[in-house]
Amino acid sequence: MGHLIDGHRDRKDEAGKLARHLDAEMGHLWVFLLEEGVDPTNNRAERALRFAVLWRRMMQGSFNEKGDRWVERILSLRETCRLRGLATYPILVEAVTCSFQGKAPNVSWI
């Protein structure tokens, strides 16, 4: 594959642009062959985002930037808790309680 990229790298058209892009990304493309535990697909990441994508489609967005930040944070918390096998609600209650009391919440579980 390297000789194909070398043969097209200097071209000024789309093939040259693709060859330069592949050349720049070549070290990242085959990491799953060299490193134990690296998946060859992004399936795990796609599954992690699935709930947020469905929520956004169902709710049609939040309609402002402040709402967008809240949604991305709460959905990130939900997914982190799901991956760690923890209930989201008690952690959220603790965070809000600590906020009202002016204390930092315990985030050692992250």
Side-chain angles (χ1 to χ4, degrees):
M1 186 154 167
H3 72 280
L4 289 172
I5 291 173
D6 289 340
H8 292 84
R9 184 182 298 125
D10 296 329
R11 291 176 56 166
K12 303 292 183 208
D13 59 358
E14 291 296 315
K17 184 177 177 180
L18 176 61
R20 288 186 296 278
H21 179 70
L22 286 173
D23 189 37
E25 296 295 324
M26 192 59 71
H28 303 288
L29 291 175
W30 309 110
V31 171
F32 70 95
L33 294 174
L34 304 172
E35 297 291 329
E36 184 74 29
V38 176
D39 291 330
T41 67
N42 66 345
N43 195 22
R44 189 181 314 166
E46 293 285 342
R47 282 185 277 139
L49 291 172
R50 185 74 181 143
F51 181 82
V53 169
L54 292 174
W55 182 90
R56 188 182 65 207
R57 182 180 295 163
M58 184 178 64
M59 301 305 287
Q60 298 178 351
S62 66
F63 303 109
N64 65 47
E65 192 170 330
K66 186 176 180 182
D68 289 343
R69 297 299 78 76
W70 185 85
V71 167
E72 68 190 25
R73 289 176 181 144
I74 203 75
L75 293 179
S76 177
L77 173 69
R78 179 194 178 274
E79 184 61 19
T80 301
C81 288
R82 187 190 70 78
L83 290 172
R84 303 222 185 254
L86 301 170
T88 306
Y89 186 73
I91 291 172
L92 191 56
V93 168
E94 180 194 353
V96 171
T97 303
C98 287
S99 176
F100 283 132
Q101 295 172 351
K103 296 190 283 185
N106 178 12
V107 292
S108 63
W109 60 273
I110 297 175

